[in-house]
Amino acid sequence: MKKILPLGALLLLCTMGIHAQKKKNDVIKALDSKSEKYTEIAHEIWDLAEMGYLEEQSSALLQKTLSDAGFSIETGIAGIPTAFKAEYGSGYPVIGILGEYDALPGLSQEAVPEKKSAGGAAGHACGHHLFGTASTAAAISVKDWMDANNIKGTIRFYGCPAEEGGSGKVYMVREGVFDDVDVALHWHPSSANAASAGAALANKSAKFRFHGVSAHAAAAPQMGRSALDGVEAMNAMVNMMREHIPEDARIHYVITDGGKAPNVVPDFAEVYYYARHNTRDVVVDIFDRIVKAAEGAAMGTGTTMEYEMIGGTHELLPNLTVQKIMYDNLVKVGGVTYNDEEKAFAEKISKTLGKNAPDISTAEKIQPYKETANAFGSTDVGDVSFTVPTAGLGTATWVPGTPAHSWQAVAAGGMSIGSKGMMVAAKTIALTAMDIFENPKTIEAAKKELEERRGKDFKYIPMLGNRPPALDYRK
């Protein structure tokens, strides 16, 4: 038999719902009023374009912004100078918001709709200047809401460096800085607005360094042993190996040092490898085979080889309990609407994306909710998701159809299109944190789901082992 609530109880529930929506609307309005301030911060980080573990000024700017808002700051966490956490409040629950701010090498682009080098060493082709700023805005917004409504608990921002291959969060997880967090929230710049269950590939990376004997390449080649031969022999064997690994696995490499002059047999050469799959055990197996190929290449070319682990991340573990809350809040916030100037910019960018680029109006839409996803890239958020219930979203900071790690992404991220998408993310994360603070039962359900998904016997083992943070991997 269906239970009928008394009229008074129904009225109370309606009143509570209206009050909750009013508070959310107030938070949205407050963030709108500060959008110019946060845009300035994001653009300053965009101009700095500091690479992984080198984000000294970007990290300092976000620290100051949070400190000025009343957060206590702890710097240098997990042995990383540019990592930090900013905290406000005390006690249970503890909600963490993740922020990133590293740029990518070789993608320095002006904020214009054609490919035009800005002449720098790096650029924000993955939008982490927006990521860190929006997460900062969300944390401050939640803090202000907590003060205004006498909400108990802790809001914590995590400054997470070197996501792009440096696995910054893995060291942070390894050092236990997330152990007391009840829920972690994150987002990522994108070309669409979506808050479905996420997915990411496990990843393991290393730099393989070959040492040989230099000699005059014409006068005395017999005296030389080419380190570059070692690299090329390794690459040849790994490329043959591709036929004999799972077809959904990925292997990438770049030769970072192949010698200096053709007439000198190079005594040093280096190649940088990634191995990826949606299951970390498969990645470990593939990586071990890559190491064997390197050892064989050294033996066959009369060189020596050593390798340095650079990064290693788990796959992403979704948490639908929190994810659905985030999706509902994204729907409430809505997508990105372009003004005339932005439409003209977007149309020019869209023409560079090929015939199948979606209509630019899709930036206004919210993608349907899905409980599963296909994994393509990797992120060190994966390690966080095996430690604490984690949910995320993407927002249209780029023109629809724009791939990450492209000049088009840098361009849109440096103008108002990026800023508008950033504020959608800030609002959605803030509202999601508010919902969790007001309903602790959500945390219980999310933790139960985490335990079920990772298994009773799960033990966290960082894929990069016990090495210290690779602070010089971009130098």
Side-chain angles (χ1 to χ4, degrees):
M1 183 183 224
K2 193 172 182 180
K3 187 175 180 181
I4 307 297
L5 289 173
L7 179 60
L10 285 170
L11 290 172
L12 178 61
L13 286 173
C14 290
T15 302
M16 289 173 62
I18 293 170
H19 185 56
Q21 291 304 312
K22 182 180 183 300
K23 287 190 288 187
K24 286 188 174 183
N25 289 337
D26 289 342
V27 168
I28 290 172
K29 289 178 182 177
L31 279 166
D32 281 335
S33 71
K34 297 177 181 177
S35 62
E36 185 175 342
K37 169 189 172 182
Y38 290 121
T39 294
E40 290 176 358
I41 292 171
H43 284 179
E44 185 171 346
I45 297 173
W46 186 85
D47 285 332
L48 290 168
E50 297 170 299
M51 291 184 284
Y53 297 132
L54 305 175
E55 321 97 327
E56 295 179 2
Q57 296 179 75
S58 302
S59 177
L61 176 58
L62 295 180
Q63 289 178 43
K64 183 179 187 306
T65 303
L66 287 152
S67 177
D68 289 347
F71 284 71
S72 61
I73 310 293
E74 181 181 347
T75 61
I77 60 175
I80 304 171
T82 54
F84 71 96
K85 63 180 179 180
E87 184 173 285
Y88 185 84
S90 62
Y92 172 88
V94 179
I95 297 179
I97 299 176
L98 311 182
E100 299 170 9
Y101 31 84
D102 61 320
L104 280 158
L107 286 158
S108 183
Q109 162 73 24
E110 295 184 20
V112 294
E114 59 269 348
K115 190 174 183 180
K116 188 175 181 181
S117 173
H124 274 287
C126 216
H128 293 177
H129 64 302
L130 303 169
F131 188 163
T133 305
S135 295
T136 296
I140 293 171
S141 179
V142 173
K143 172 259 179 186
D144 292 341
W145 167 78
M146 292 172 71
D147 281 347
N149 295 278
N150 196 29
I151 303 295
K152 303 300 182 184
T154 304
I155 185 70
R156 186 180 295 160
F157 174 95
Y158 284 94
C160 305
E163 186 276 337
E164 297 290 359
S167 301
K169 297 182 194 67
V170 179
Y171 300 106
M172 296 164 72
V173 171
R174 191 178 72 182
E175 294 303 312
V177 301
F178 294 100
D179 286 355
D180 65 338
V181 177
D182 293 298
V183 172
L185 305 176
H186 70 104
W187 77 287
H188 201 282
S190 180
S191 64
N193 306 294
S196 294
L201 299 171
N203 182 9
K204 196 166 184 178
S205 65
K207 291 182 177 179
F208 293 83
R209 298 177 178 123
F210 288 79
H211 299 270
V213 178
S214 60
H216 194 294
Q222 73 279 6
M223 302 296 291
R225 296 294 181 269
S226 172
L228 180 58
D229 284 352
V231 165
E232 292 190 311
M234 175 189 176
N235 294 345
M237 285 190 283
V238 172
N239 285 330
M240 287 188 287
M241 193 178 83
R242 293 179 191 274
E243 183 182 359
H244 309 290
I245 63 174
E247 63 181 26
D248 52 352
R250 299 286 185 269
I251 300 174
H252 332 285
Y253 65 83
V254 291
I255 298 175
T256 50
D257 191 334
K260 301 297 184 287
N263 62 338
V264 178
V265 175
D267 63 354
F268 176 78
E270 180 185 82
V271 61
Y272 188 3
Y273 264 86
Y274 278 24
R276 307 196 212 218
H277 189 263
N278 54 27
T279 305
R280 60 190 179 281
D281 291 343
V282 174
V283 170
V284 171
D285 177 67
I286 292 172
F287 183 83
D288 289 346
R289 291 170 66 188
I290 291 173
V291 172
K292 291 295 183 184
E295 291 171 346
M299 184 181 297
T301 57
T303 59
T304 60
M305 182 277 300
E306 82 271 350
Y307 68 92
E308 178 187 6
M309 290 299 309
I310 299 298
T313 61
H314 281 48
E315 63 269 30
L316 190 66
L317 198 64
N319 193 285
L320 301 182
T321 303
V322 185
Q323 196 63 58
K324 186 59 168 63
I325 297 171
M326 182 166 276
Y327 174 79
D328 290 341
N329 282 310
L330 176 58
V331 171
K332 176 177 176 58
V333 172
V336 177
T337 302
Y338 296 153
N339 60 29
D340 290 343
E341 179 185 357
E342 291 158 351
K343 284 180 181 177
F345 186 100
E347 286 169 354
K348 289 181 181 178
I349 288 284
S350 187
K351 290 178 181 178
T352 71
L353 300 174
K355 296 179 180 179
N356 297 322
D359 191 275
I360 63 172
S361 64
T362 58
E364 301 175 11
K365 301 175 181 178
I366 308 300
Q367 300 301 307
Y369 180 73
K370 296 179 181 179
E371 294 189 348
T372 59
N374 293 322
F376 298 102
S378 304
T379 173
D380 53 12
V381 176
D383 290 64
V384 179
S385 73
F386 273 85
T387 306
V388 55
T390 303
L393 79 155
T395 65
T397 62
W398 308 325
V399 176
T402 298
H405 297 192
S406 67
W407 71 263
Q408 294 96 331
V410 186
M415 58 92 67
S416 56
I417 286 176
S419 301
K420 283 186 173 180
M422 174 184 76
M423 295 311 295
V424 169
K427 295 170 188 176
T428 304
I429 291 174
L431 300 189
T432 302
M434 290 164 57
D435 283 339
I436 297 168
F437 271 117
E438 292 192 318
N439 187 8
K441 289 185 177 180
T442 298
I443 296 171
E444 295 176 18
K447 288 184 174 180
K448 182 179 179 182
E449 181 182 347
L450 172 63
E451 292 175 2
E452 291 173 350
R453 285 183 178 272
R454 69 184 182 183
K456 293 181 180 179
D457 299 327
F458 173 78
K459 181 181 179 181
Y460 177 72
I461 301 173
M463 291 182 65
L464 45 69
N466 295 320
R467 71 147 297 157
L471 300 181
D472 61 352
Y473 87 111
R474 287 298 191 201
K475 293 181 180 178

